[in-house]
Amino acid sequence: MRDTGQKPGPRSTQRDAHASDVQGGRVLAVALSSDVLDLLPRNVLEPHSYIARASYDELDSMHFSGPDAPALVLSPLLTPLFDAIDLARYLSQRAYRGRYLALVDKLPSANLIRREVEAQSPDLNFDVVVLDGSTPLHSL
């Protein structure tokens, strides 16, 4: 594992992780840059939580159930390789029971996305975070 030494803010320490290193991480950021992580509302992460970053291709070698599972998975809502519905389905199939948040710059209505993910993966704790400051999380 390579420690970048970068701290996105006082609430978290960020580290890059290879597939074998993510199991001990509290938060798994899939296909997200540190710039995007800096836009998260401050109440999304617990104080001093660690963020392990991984690519979508690295997910097959990670644990998503049991004591090694991350408490929170973050990803973009849409990428060229996958979207939130794909990742939600994948996490459900791997018996993930933590929280999954999909991040997006702007979105007129997140309810449609929430309903679609819930229909595909009803056992998943999912939500959408709009990074433009319009979500209630930004005001907390």
Side-chain angles (χ1 to χ4, degrees):
M1 177 173 67
R2 182 181 54 132
D3 189 348
T4 64
Q6 297 175 329
K7 293 186 179 183
R11 71 188 190 303
S12 66
T13 299
Q14 181 177 332
R15 60 182 177 163
D16 286 330
H18 296 289
S20 62
D21 298 326
V22 174
Q23 285 83 6
R26 175 130 181 76
V27 178
L28 175 60
V30 180
L32 288 170
S33 70
S34 58
D35 293 339
V36 172
L37 294 171
D38 287 343
L39 298 174
L40 282 173
R42 65 180 178 177
N43 295 315
V44 169
L45 300 176
E46 294 178 13
H48 308 295
S49 61
Y50 286 99
I51 301 173
R53 292 175 36 206
S55 70
Y56 187 72
D57 295 334
E58 293 175 300
L59 296 181
D60 283 340
S61 60
M62 297 178 191
H63 296 282
F64 288 97
S65 62
D68 293 333
L72 173 64
V73 173
L74 303 169
S75 82
L77 181 66
L78 181 64
T79 76
L81 292 176
F82 69 95
D83 62 25
I85 294 171
D86 297 327
L87 186 54
R89 188 177 305 122
Y90 178 88
L91 293 171
S92 290
Q93 290 169 350
R94 302 284 303 269
Y96 179 64
R97 296 295 176 253
R99 190 165 189 209
Y100 170 36
L101 298 176
L103 311 179
V104 64
D105 290 330
K106 292 183 179 186
L107 190 66
S109 174
N111 287 333
L112 179 64
I113 304 297
R114 288 183 188 106
R115 284 193 302 265
E116 185 65 28
V117 169
E118 184 177 329
Q120 299 284 327
S121 303
D123 56 331
L124 196 62
N125 182 356
F126 172 80
D127 206 351
V128 176
V129 175
V130 182
L131 299 174
D132 67 359
S134 65
T135 63
L137 288 171
H138 283 92
S139 63
L140 296 175

